Amino acid sequence: MSGSGSGSGSGSSVVVIDAGGVAGAVGRDEALALYEAVGWSAYTKDPDGLVRALAGSTLVATARDGDRLVGLARVVTDGASILYLQDVLVHPDAQRTGLGRRLVSALLDAYPDVRQKVLLTDDEPAQKAFYESLGFGDTRDVHGGVLRTFVRFD
């Protein structure tokens, strides 16, 4: 997923918002602007779908530079056995500052007892390195390669 960052933090702060506060805390226009900035057109083609996705998330972490939304990550989870990390975005102006790492950590720290943490991302070396640095592994490399991943896009 393009838009994740690593490195040391800058002046931006991470604010964790629960699902009940998502709609008011992340406005439609600012969400669209961030998704457009990182080139995620699948979301920007369907703004109402993006709003529903954010509102349906279990937990959303946002990063702001003043009033400007510069980062966002979200999870969907049952809170017990599985957590799906989705949409780790950092505005290009704020990438490589540690913001992506801080967003993901804020979300994962909220669910320390959930055993399975899953994500689907692009097959790019930078993405692989970023998520491996956070403790994620390719399913081909975990538990001796006995895991298989299936996905369906409609």
Side-chain angles (χ1 to χ4, degrees):
M1 293 181 179
S2 65
S4 59
S6 61
S8 62
S10 68
S12 298
S13 61
V14 174
V15 178
V16 178
I17 304 163
D18 69 17
V22 171
V26 181
R28 175 189 175 115
D29 291 343
E30 67 179 346
L32 281 170
L34 180 58
Y35 280 76
E36 286 173 4
V38 298
W40 287 10
S41 61
Y43 289 96
T44 60
K45 288 178 187 175
D46 181 10
D48 292 335
L50 173 57
V51 169
R52 286 191 311 274
L54 290 171
S57 299
T58 308
L59 191 63
V60 176
T62 60
R64 294 185 180 276
D65 186 357
D67 289 338
R68 181 175 168 238
L69 182 67
V70 295
L72 180 147
R74 64 190 185 97
V75 296
V76 177
T77 181
D78 62 13
S81 65
I82 191 153
L83 175 147
Y84 188 87
L85 176 63
Q86 179 66 22
D87 296 358
V88 179
L89 303 91
V90 174
H91 192 282
D93 295 344
Q95 290 180 6
R96 310 227 29 98
T97 65
L99 205 47
R101 174 178 302 281
R102 289 167 49 203
L103 288 165
V104 171
S105 293
L107 294 171
L108 298 183
D109 289 351
Y111 299 97
D113 298 325
V114 174
R115 187 176 66 88
Q116 295 179 67
K117 296 171 179 85
V118 180
L119 70 100
L120 180 67
T121 190
D122 298 329
D123 188 19
E124 298 176 6
Q127 298 301 322
K128 184 176 189 293
F130 174 71
Y131 289 110
E132 284 179 342
S133 77
L134 292 168
F136 287 87
D138 188 313
T139 55
R140 293 173 286 200
D141 302 329
V142 177
H143 296 293
V146 298
L147 296 176
R148 184 175 306 265
T149 306
F150 296 92
V151 64
R152 174 180 158 171
F153 289 98
D154 293 332

